[in-house]
């Protein structure tokens, strides 16, 4: 096959850009840092949304929608928050043909405006927990944009909840972390994320604890794919979110927030892509089976249509490609780029022998398959290849993670992969030193792999890496 | 029942505001003209989205996402378009802590930016038709906002398509109009919309034809609930969307655009609401059956839970309200406000006789129903009440529409309802005169009710009304 993409080993960021352009997933927008998500990319995002939305609703949160525009003064009420976001704000100064009395900012995230309304809606302990989520666009001005990973505008879900106690808030932030985020990433996206606690240096602006899901990219870097924050009473105090307790007192609520975004599309590409294009895990794929008419011939179109219908009846998300006015080779290259998990190629020669060819994207294997067995073969491939992609990514992560004992070794190991190092060998000072060399502490874990409550627990492990 | 809302007959706009606040559908946002859509309102919007999205995809369009920010110069390329939208634009002048070299506008609609990308993606006649849709927020600065009907930011879907011929573009604009918009509004929202052609005065800025779906509100006004536009070659010429034809020439494409928005939520309220609150048609309702524990007692909670489960198993969207620490009367008032199509009330006294009470929101009828018959009774009510709401709205529309022969009569009739008048008795001059008195031409129809191609056809009927 002719070279379609820059090989990953040659220039990984260039490969990534090539893939996005050639698979027609997205384009750069006309305003610097913005993106256009094309139908092939957006269809994957819609599947991510549907799977995530189901999990968020199962955790009891309800969807709502808050305004794009936030009064500038809202952001200033929580000191760390304004400091964290000020450099990234887009500011609207004119509306309806006039200069505005007070400029408004385009939301970089909605903690502040949602805090304002939580204060109105929460009165009694009976109103808690208040569990909200919204699907929205947000804007953070980016000086070094990269499609899907860092764009000035991106799409995301942001959850915001208020609770009566710190314990309840913590439990909910962790429930979303594991039951929604980790579950989706591992079991649908097939990305074996590490789930841990961010250091205080890496925490969200205004949080008392930030939990994260970190995925490894094909060049051994780290990518933060979702975070869940305990906000303590910081926003409740800034926005006066209080409730009367069962005992009759007036208390500040404890809030959380949590988000995942179109960045997951970038993570998917960087985790599962190969030199021929994207590989989409079957459970996620908007098109799981791609039935192709190789070229016209006796009964070919009819056989392909029947297979399409049979696959659809078997519950497979399927598309038919009968564009025989475009050369088969070019269409096959496009199908590889798009990463459809299974191709079913129907051509006159094979069909004369009663066969179609079933091609598995995960490893490129092609199997002559009796037409009557195609549905079974596709179902088996979809089932096995979900696991195969996950396991391949896990093996890659393990082979690119080095256990070391000192900061210097960790920084060295981070040149090509992840380093596992005792947090006691790093600490806040070591973290600053690593940052100076382009390496960050991605998360902290307990020795048994579970998520710590604070960075002060003994015997924690730090994961150090370069990151996107 | 105590008066909860301002009666509709007393002050319709006040009733509308009351209902939105008391049913907790939405709040005003902190920036003037913006809104917060609360979970009860957003759940209805999600159902509208799902039903619309299915219809749009069935018509062959694919979802994509284009940027929120548009370079100011894009809007200026199509003369009528910039003139139409300039007074409503929100302008971002600062980003990332600096003044921008060129201000960017927040999209009021995306014809321009999508036109720019269509030009890149379309090369040959084989690339046509190009059928795109996006779900997005847009901003049009509003001086006299009203929640859901006119807000500075609103949520919508906007479809944008490019075609090889004028005929194909027209056919597609009309296909969406009828198969997506009219079908959704009539058969799911239960709103008997009139579907017709806008006059040239009322056309979308830049269109050569605008088709509309017009609903009647409970105070006899008109509400535009969705529009579909033929844009001719105006945007194709402004953005250079050209294709090489099968014959080898280079031709400008013909484009369309079409949109429906959160305004449909306002239409739903204004069409189906009564003095007790909203009435949501069963096919649309996020909660179709609301099972209420009246008060605690022997086996009550268990019976209610079993009914909830049985209804869910029968495919009904159902919720259980067992908050017996809140008085039943208050919960019943809230359920009326929210407009759940059917309530199932389970209390100790009725249950002792083997019964529950099935209450139909459409007309308030209450029926003692043996517990074993509740699922059947609910299914029957959901089925009949979808039609009942539609038919009630249709009867209201017909009784509030007056056929007249002169402009003066039409303007008079529009004080309390819609006027049907020969378009030849109005014309462009009469239209301007009506506008001066707060009355607009909502649409033009053929005598047989079908949609005309142009306003110059003979024997057209004009619908004149006041509007929101």
């Amino acid at each position: 096959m002719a070279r379609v993409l820059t090989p990953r080993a040659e220039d990984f960021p260039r490969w990534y850009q090539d893939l996005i352009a050639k698979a027609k997933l997205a384009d750069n927008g006309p305003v610097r840092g913005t993106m256009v998500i094309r139908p092939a990319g957006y269809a994957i995002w819609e599947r991510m949304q549907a799977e995530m939305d189901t999990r968020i609703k199962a955790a009891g949160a309800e969807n709502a929608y808050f305004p794009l525009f936030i009064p500038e003064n809202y952001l200033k009420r929580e000191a760390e928050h304004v400091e964290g976001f000020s450099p990234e704000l887009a500011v609207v100064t004119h509306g309806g043909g006039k200069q505005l009395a007070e400029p408004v900012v385009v939301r970089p995230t909605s903690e502040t405006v949602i805090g304002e309304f939580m204060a109105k809606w929460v009165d009694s302990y009976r109103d808690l927990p208040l569990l909200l989520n919204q699907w929205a666009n947000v804007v953070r001005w980016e000086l070094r944009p990269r499609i899907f990973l860092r764009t000035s505008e991106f799409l995301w879900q942001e959850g915001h909840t208020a609770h009566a106690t710190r314990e309840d808030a913590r439990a909910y932030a962790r429930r979303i972390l594991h039951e929604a985020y980790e579950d989706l990433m591992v079991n649908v996206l097939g990305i074996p994320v590490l789930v841990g606690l961010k250091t205080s240096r890496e925490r969200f602006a205004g949080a008392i604890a930030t939990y994260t899901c970190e995925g490894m990219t094909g060049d051994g870097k780290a990518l933060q794919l979702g975070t869940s924050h305990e906000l303590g009473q910081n926003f409740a105090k800034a926005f006066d979110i209080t409730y009367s307790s069962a005992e009759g007192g007036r208390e500040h609520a404890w809030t959380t927030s949590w988000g995942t975004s179109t960045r997951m599309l970038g993570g998917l590409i960087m985790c599962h892509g190969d030199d021929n294009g994207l590989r989409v895990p079957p459970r996620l794929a908007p098109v799981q089976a791609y039935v192709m008419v190789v070229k016209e011939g006796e009964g070919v179109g009819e056989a392909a249509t029947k297979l399409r219908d049979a696959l659809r009846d078997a519950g497979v998300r399927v598309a038919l490609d009968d564009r025989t006015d475009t050369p088969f080779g070019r269409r096959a290259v496009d199908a590889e780029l798009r990463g459809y998990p299974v191709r079913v190629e129907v051509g006159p020669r094979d069909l004369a022998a009663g066969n179609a060819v079933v091609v598995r994207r995960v490893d490129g294997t092609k199997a002559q398959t009796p037409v009557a067995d195609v549905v079974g073969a596709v179902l088996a491939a979809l089932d096995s290849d979900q696991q195969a992609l996950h396991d391949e990514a896990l093996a890659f992560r393990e082979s690119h993670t080095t256990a070391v004992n000192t900061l210097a070794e960790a920084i060295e190991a981070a040149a090509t992969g992840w380093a596992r190092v005792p947090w006691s060998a790093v600490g806040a000072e070591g973290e600053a030193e690593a940052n100076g060399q382009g390496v960050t502490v991605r998360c902290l874990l307990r020795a048994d792999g579970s998520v710590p409550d604070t960075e002060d627990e003994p015997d924690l492990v730090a994961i150090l890496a370069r990151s996107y």
Side-chain angles (χ1 to χ4, degrees), chain A:
Chain A
M1 196 175 277
R3 169 176 154 160
V4 176
L5 305 174
T6 304
R8 292 192 306 159
E10 187 179 309
D11 183 342
F12 192 83
R14 178 68 176 272
W15 162 84
Y16 176 77
Q17 280 192 317
D18 277 7
L19 191 157
I20 288 170
K22 298 242 167 103
K24 300 185 180 177
L25 301 178
D27 267 357
N28 289 308
V31 172
R32 187 174 154 73
T34 63
M35 66 176 160
V36 173
I37 308 178
R38 301 183 68 171
Y42 200 82
I44 300 174
W45 174 240
E46 281 186 310
R47 287 278 311 129
M48 288 180 178
Q49 284 189 298
E51 293 279 347
M52 185 66 87
D53 199 62
T54 299
R55 285 166 176 74
I56 288 170
K57 284 175 174 153
E62 294 183 299
N63 285 339
Y65 187 78
F66 293 82
L68 175 71
F69 293 149
I70 299 180
E72 213 172 25
N73 73 72
Y74 276 33
L75 267 94
K76 296 181 178 159
R77 292 195 210 164
E78 211 288 331
E80 284 185 47
H81 197 67
V82 65
E83 200 181 316
F85 283 106
S86 282
E88 302 178 355
L89 296 178
V91 185
V92 176
T93 52
H94 290 73
K98 288 185 183 162
Q99 179 149 10
L100 301 178
E102 186 195 359
V104 300
V105 302
V106 181
R107 63 182 163 216
T109 176
S110 303
E111 275 75 9
T112 60
V113 63
I114 294 181
E116 177 82 0
F117 283 87
M118 282 182 163
K120 290 183 188 172
W121 298 340
V122 171
D123 178 39
S124 140
Y125 69 94
R126 286 193 197 84
D127 301 321
L128 298 176
L130 177 58
L131 309 175
L132 299 173
N133 179 61
Q134 81 171 352
W135 291 95
N137 53 346
V138 287
V139 170
R140 301 176 188 178
W141 214 263
E142 275 293 346
L143 300 178
R144 280 165 306 190
R146 192 189 301 268
I147 284 188
F148 294 137
L149 299 191
R150 277 195 314 277
T151 46
S152 291
E153 179 192 9
F154 55 92
L155 305 183
W156 78 343
Q157 61 67 218
E158 51 177 320
H160 298 269
T161 68
H163 305 260
T165 65
R166 177 172 183 162
E167 291 66 37
D168 196 48
R170 164 163 296 188
Y172 199 79
R174 286 184 176 227
R175 180 176 177 185
I176 290 292
L177 179 75
H178 293 295
E179 293 180 16
Y181 293 179
E182 182 181 11
D183 183 62
L184 177 90
M185 291 171 196
V186 174
N187 295 317
V188 180
L189 275 54
I191 302 177
V193 289
L194 269 193
V195 181
L197 177 73
K198 286 282 183 192
T199 64
S200 53
R201 191 182 179 99
E202 295 284 338
R203 271 204 299 254
F204 178 72
I208 62 168
T210 289
Y211 304 103
T212 182
C213 296
E214 300 280 326
M216 182 181 278
T217 61
D219 59 349
K221 293 186 181 177
L223 187 66
Q224 176 181 304
L225 286 168
T227 48
S228 185
H229 315 290
E230 287 180 57
L231 304 174
Q233 294 180 308
N234 292 341
F235 285 86
K237 285 178 178 163
F239 287 90
D240 207 23
I241 309 169
T242 63
Y243 70 95
S244 53
S245 68
E247 296 75 36
R250 198 80 196 167
E251 309 282 348
H252 281 102
W254 297 79
T255 67
T256 81
S257 70
W258 26 278
T260 54
S261 73
T262 36
R263 168 173 266 231
M264 287 191 292
L265 284 164
L268 188 80
I269 298 166
M270 286 195 162
C271 179
H272 294 312
D274 67 15
D275 285 348
N276 295 325
L278 181 56
R279 296 183 299 173
V280 186
R283 270 185 221 140
L284 177 67
V287 174
Q288 298 175 304
Y290 191 66
V291 179
M292 303 183 73
V293 174
V294 176
K295 62 178 183 180
E296 282 171 25
E298 179 74 24
V300 173
E302 194 186 351
T305 303
K306 275 191 184 165
L307 280 171
R308 190 264 317 265
D309 294 346
L311 286 163
R312 190 159 55 194
D313 292 347
V316 175
R317 293 186 290 273
V318 61
L320 175 66
D321 174 0
D322 56 3
R323 298 170 297 140
T324 47
D325 56 350
T326 303
F328 173 73
R330 189 172 136 198
R331 289 184 290 136
V333 165
D334 283 345
E336 294 269 303
L337 279 166
R338 291 281 175 93
Y340 307 124
V342 182
R343 293 203 306 278
V344 179
E345 301 176 353
V346 186
R349 203 176 344 171
D350 298 328
L351 194 62
N355 289 336
V357 179
V358 174
V359 188
R360 291 165 56 201
R361 179 65 181 86
V362 63
D363 57 6
T365 53
K366 299 185 180 196
Q368 288 279 346
T369 308
V371 169
D373 298 344
V374 164
V375 171
V378 169
L379 290 172
L382 294 176
D383 197 44
S384 69
D385 295 351
Q386 178 76 33
Q387 194 63 43
L389 273 172
H390 172 273
D391 292 352
E392 184 183 324
L394 182 60
F396 182 84
R397 190 189 86 193
E398 288 181 349
S399 69
H400 287 73
T401 300
T402 311
V404 297
N405 288 310
T406 67
L407 177 65
E409 290 170 318
I411 292 173
E412 193 192 329
T416 54
W418 291 5
R420 292 177 65 95
V421 58
W423 173 230
S424 59
V426 182
E429 262 185 54
E431 188 179 7
E433 189 181 330
N435 288 181
Q437 299 184 49
V439 173
T440 46
V441 179
R442 304 311 304 165
C443 63
L444 303 176
L445 306 168
R446 291 193 183 126
D448 66 359
S450 67
V451 181
D453 288 329
T454 78
E455 66 187 55
D456 303 325
E457 288 185 23
D459 303 325
L460 293 182
V461 174
I463 305 295
L464 270 66
R466 295 177 187 277
S467 69
Y468 282 99

